[in-house]
Amino acid sequence: MPLRLLILAFVAGAAWLQLRPDLPDLRWAWLLPPAFLAAGWLPGRWLRWGLTLLAFVALGFFYAAWRAELRLADALPQTWEGRDLRLSGRVADLPETTPRGWRLVLDGVRAGTPGARVPRRVQLSQYQYGPEPAVTPRAGSCLSLTARLARPRGSVNPGGFDYEGWLLERGIRAQGYVLGPVVTAADCPASLAGVIDGWRAAMRDRLRAALAGRPYAGIVVALAVGDQNAISGPQWTLFRQTGVTHLMSISGLHVTLLASLVFALVNLAWRRVPALALRLPARRAATLAGLATALVYVALAGFGLPAQRTLYMLATVAAGLWLERADTPSRILAMAALVVVLIDPWAALAPGFWLSFGAVTVLMYAGSGRLRPPSVWRVWVQAQWAVTLALAPVLLLLFNGVSLVSPLANAVAIPLISLVAVPLVLAAALLPVDLLAQAAHAVIAATMVMLDWLATLPEPVWHGARPTWPALVLALVGVAMLLAPKGIPARWLGALLFLPLLFPRIERPEPGTFWLDVLDVGQGLAVVVRTAGHAMVYDSGPRYASGEDAGARVVAPFLYGQGINRLDGLVVSHEDSDHSGGTRSLLASHAPAWRLSSASLPGTRRCVAGQVWQWDDVRFEIIHPPARYYTQSGFPDNDLSCVLKITGVHGSALLTGDIGRLGELSLIELAPGELHADILVVPHHGSGGSSMLPFVRAVGPRLALFSVGYRNRFGHPDPEVVGRYRAGHAAIRRTDLEGALHVAVAGPELSVETGRQAGRRYWQARQDLTSQR
């Protein structure tokens, strides 16, 4: 049986484990030896091959499960969540400076609190609320501090980024925030990684000084030491629009091309010195030089996982060259994939794993079966076409969009960035010559001119609904047909197989019904309302301490995944950043037809009680605040929140923003007949200053939805408030415990789907929801 098939089966088994909601009982792995023995004794080649392949799938599955058991065992006990802990450890990688403090990973963590048990690797943040800026610790330094930890927790939304899986892959088994001062300690063991991180921080500081005030200094820093946080948000948006995000930090492509360039130069020079060539063949010397270059560059990246995967791939190729074993490219690629998965079974969680291996596979397939080699420029154009076509279905699955200008952008940017800018950046990082950094900046600036122009073209990015697996498989078969060598009949039929991907069947509510999605945005609120032919957003979620916002990170990806590229309306209840923080991003991504708010936001009309509209036999009405309240003093911004009542054939919903007791009293007095609703998005996240008993009785909800952050510092929701809704026989659902909440108001029963229920993975934290309702 071909080795490539066996490796593919093993990798598929490891990837399958990452899709499971629970880990298997490892005792089942004892069936593997009998399975392999049986495969050798079965009659018939096809039976033997089939059982062997299944055995290798199971081997990969149980290997990944064993590694997962080991990693999950390094956990923070529940009893130590939220308690003050004295910790010490070494700063790993480069700390991130945030708008309100800093964030870092502490490695080799030890607890100084008696009886405490903590994971070896945790992520910590410090928030500075005073006028003095926080001082970010140095990379590689040994720290002693007091912190409160919690087990890994992230937002869970349909098709959204799996932050908990991302933390698991990096071995980060707790998160927390720092209390009080941070002091330097001397009890951390010696660490080569710490020394390298210190060098990286020094290089970063020197490059920043050499390029002070220049617009693309952050890109130079990212290419030099892998600090992606040095690149601004607008620049990342531009790179996503033009499909060049993989070029603007230390990536597998850069490591590979740089190692290949050094290999070619050393190979050429070595052959010209006979004495050297007699001692060591030029090919072996070039192999060592190329691999050493890759190792140095990956070290500068802080041994980040994407760069590590590339290093393992190159090491596999280098081993073949050193041993002078002529092997097929497909077998080398398969061996590289095996090495990556053996070292990092969670690689299947990373889009970069599939995109990088997929791109190489496509290039090998597209270049096969040719009678004669085409010209260089033709190869370059065909490569861009093949990669763009083949990765489009995968990009749509992973990111809900495909850059239409990516082929042209990459055709120009890859040579400029990878072959010119990266060598200059690496030289500038290693040599104290400012001119090298400035030359690299000039090359990047020239590239940015082209990217800026491409981004101004109409619709540079095509967004589509998240594809189903049958549509994805059909599209990939279509790719294979379209990229087949000339002479294969009916290749054009492959284009027809893209139709289910390009024109998906999108489920929508029936007329007279509506769907409500309370997204998991942490401590904030963002609600998507859909009718048969319309979609609107009520509140856009918070702006996070990192500088990102829920509009770009949560709401827009959710909308794209549901096939919604434009909004029919946007209501921002009030100006608090946990409700309005994502507004700017949504305006840019989904261009709402109109906007209402109680805040004075550009381009919005004030929401006023009595505003009514109807979509698809569903009635929408603003029932608070009255117009006169805007001119009366004494009304806090929270109590001016736009309150929206939605009424369909089978039920109603009330969206209340952050109103408190004053707003609730006003509603009871002025709009008592409009208050009753089947579904209530609970006011002010269930704070103790809201949800008075008369208000709860007036609304009388069957379903009370709480949008709150996990273990938030405000203590929301207040236990007494939850008790009032329970006493009124309302079902309690919470985003902090269950992820995004989807409610279909389409019949007498209110069906609720939760993010953690629909897409649960084995690493996601589980809570006994029954005991908390």
Side-chain angles (χ1 to χ4, degrees), residues 74-301:
D74 184 27
L76 177 71
Q78 245 185 325
T79 54
W80 286 101
E81 280 194 297
R83 297 172 62 179
D84 290 4
L85 293 168
R86 193 67 191 172
L87 306 176
S88 64
R90 190 176 297 279
V91 178
D93 208 347
L94 297 175
E96 176 188 357
T97 300
T98 65
R100 292 191 304 182
W102 48 259
R103 181 167 56 192
L104 55 77
V105 173
L106 206 62
D107 203 6
V109 178
R110 289 170 297 167
T113 304
R117 183 165 63 89
V118 297
R120 286 188 52 79
R121 193 173 176 89
V122 303
Q123 181 173 273
L124 297 173
S125 301
Q126 186 179 67
Y127 304 104
Q128 182 74 22
Y129 295 100
E132 294 296 325
V135 178
T136 304
R138 294 285 298 175
S141 59
C142 183
L143 303 180
S144 178
L145 48 85
T146 300
R148 288 180 183 170
L149 298 180
R151 291 181 296 175
R153 196 75 173 189
S155 299
V156 179
N157 296 283
F161 176 64
D162 187 351
Y163 187 58
E164 292 175 34
W166 184 87
L167 291 173
L168 178 74
E169 186 184 11
R170 283 151 182 79
I172 299 172
R173 301 298 301 132
Q175 304 165 266
Y177 57 92
V178 175
L179 302 168
V182 176
V183 298
T184 303
D187 58 345
C188 296
S191 167
L192 177 60
V195 173
I196 292 174
D197 286 334
W199 289 344
R200 294 171 64 215
M203 291 176 185
R204 178 179 63 177
D205 294 344
R206 184 162 50 77
L207 289 173
R208 283 176 173 173
L211 299 173
R214 297 179 187 251
Y216 309 121
I219 301 175
V220 174
V221 169
L223 289 172
V225 296
D227 183 10
Q228 298 189 14
N229 298 311
I231 300 177
S232 67
Q235 288 173 347
W236 278 123
T237 300
L238 173 66
F239 300 152
R240 283 192 292 268
Q241 289 176 334
T242 53
V244 297
T245 53
H246 61 295
L247 295 180
M248 297 306 172
S249 186
I250 297 179
S251 67
L253 177 64
H254 296 329
V255 176
T256 302
L257 290 179
L258 185 63
S260 301
L261 180 62
V262 171
F263 175 91
L265 292 175
V266 172
N267 190 38
L268 180 65
W270 203 271
R271 291 176 185 276
R272 295 180 178 275
V273 184
L276 293 176
L278 288 173
R279 278 185 178 274
L280 184 67
R283 194 175 187 183
R284 286 191 171 184
T287 299
L288 285 178
L291 186 60
T293 300
L295 179 61
V296 170
Y297 201 21
V298 170
L300 286 177

Side-chain angles (χ1 to χ4, degrees), residues 16-93:
W16 180 32
L17 187 278
Q18 311 310 330
L19 300 176
R20 298 291 302 158
D22 296 293
L23 289 177
D25 189 333
L26 291 179
R27 288 175 294 183
W28 287 103
W30 289 106
L31 294 177
L32 286 175
F36 280 109
L37 288 174
W41 289 93
L42 279 177
R45 185 176 66 173
W46 292 110
L47 281 176
R48 289 197 301 271
W49 280 26
L51 184 56
T52 302
L53 281 176
L54 287 175
F56 268 86
V57 169
L59 181 63
F61 181 81
F62 282 108
Y63 172 76
W66 170 66
R67 292 286 303 275
E69 289 275 13
L70 294 178
R71 182 153 293 183
L72 291 177
D74 184 27
L76 177 71
Q78 245 185 325
T79 54
W80 286 101
E81 280 194 297
R83 297 172 62 179
D84 290 4
L85 293 168
R86 193 67 191 172
L87 306 176
S88 64
R90 190 176 297 279
V91 178
D93 208 347

Side-chain angles (χ1 to χ4, degrees), residues 693 696-697 700-701 704 719-732 773:
L693 186 58
V696 173
R697 288 174 174 170
E720 289 189 14
V721 169
V722 175
R724 289 175 203 151
Y725 287 104
R726 282 208 182 103
H729 306 291
I732 308 296
R773 286 181 191 149

Side-chain angles (χ1 to χ4, degrees), residues 339-578:
V339 171
V340 169
V341 171
L342 283 173
I343 296 173
D344 177 18
W346 299 275
L349 295 174
F353 174 82
W354 299 105
L355 294 177
S356 57
F357 277 99
V360 175
T361 303
V362 166
L363 290 174
M364 291 193 302
Y365 173 75
S368 64
R370 305 302 191 255
L371 296 178
R372 59 181 181 180
S375 59
V376 174
W377 72 268
R378 191 178 182 88
V379 168
W380 189 245
V381 172
Q382 288 177 345
Q384 294 302 319
W385 153 250
V387 171
T388 301
L389 179 69
L391 295 187
V394 182
L395 290 170
L396 198 59
L397 175 69
L398 297 174
F399 305 114
N400 304 311
V402 179
S403 172
L404 301 180
V405 299
S406 171
L408 180 57
N410 279 278
V412 176
I414 287 176
L416 287 176
I417 299 297
S418 296
L419 299 180
V420 181
V422 167
L424 287 171
V425 165
L426 188 58
L430 299 175
L431 301 172
V433 180
D434 291 354
L435 186 61
L436 292 171
Q438 292 163 6
H441 186 277
V443 175
I444 293 170
T447 307
M448 294 293 286
V449 171
M450 183 268 299
L451 297 179
D452 283 327
W453 176 75
L454 289 175
T456 62
L457 296 176
E459 300 293 335
V461 180
W462 180 77
H463 291 285
R466 186 177 177 84
T468 61
W469 285 107
L472 183 67
V473 171
L474 285 175
L476 292 176
V477 173
V479 167
M481 294 177 64
L482 291 171
L483 296 181
K486 289 182 179 178
I488 302 295
R491 289 188 305 161
W492 62 272
L493 290 175
L496 298 180
L497 298 181
F498 271 78
L499 293 179
L501 188 80
L502 300 176
F503 303 100
R505 182 180 178 275
I506 300 173
E507 292 187 25
R508 303 181 189 277
E510 295 293 328
T513 68
F514 64 94
W515 293 349
L516 206 68
D517 289 277
V518 181
L519 300 182
D520 184 6
V521 295
Q523 185 64 21
L525 180 65
V527 183
V528 177
V529 184
R530 285 176 283 175
T531 65
H534 296 80
M536 66 163 287
V537 168
Y538 179 93
D539 282 345
S540 57
R543 174 169 290 277
Y544 300 113
S546 63
E548 299 175 294
D549 66 74
R553 204 165 83 180
V554 177
V555 185
F558 172 81
L559 293 172
Y560 285 136
Q562 303 300 315
I564 301 170
N565 294 338
R566 291 288 185 271
L567 285 173
D568 297 292
L570 171 64
V571 176
V572 179
S573 64
H574 63 300
E575 201 168 6
D576 281 5
S577 63
D578 59 331

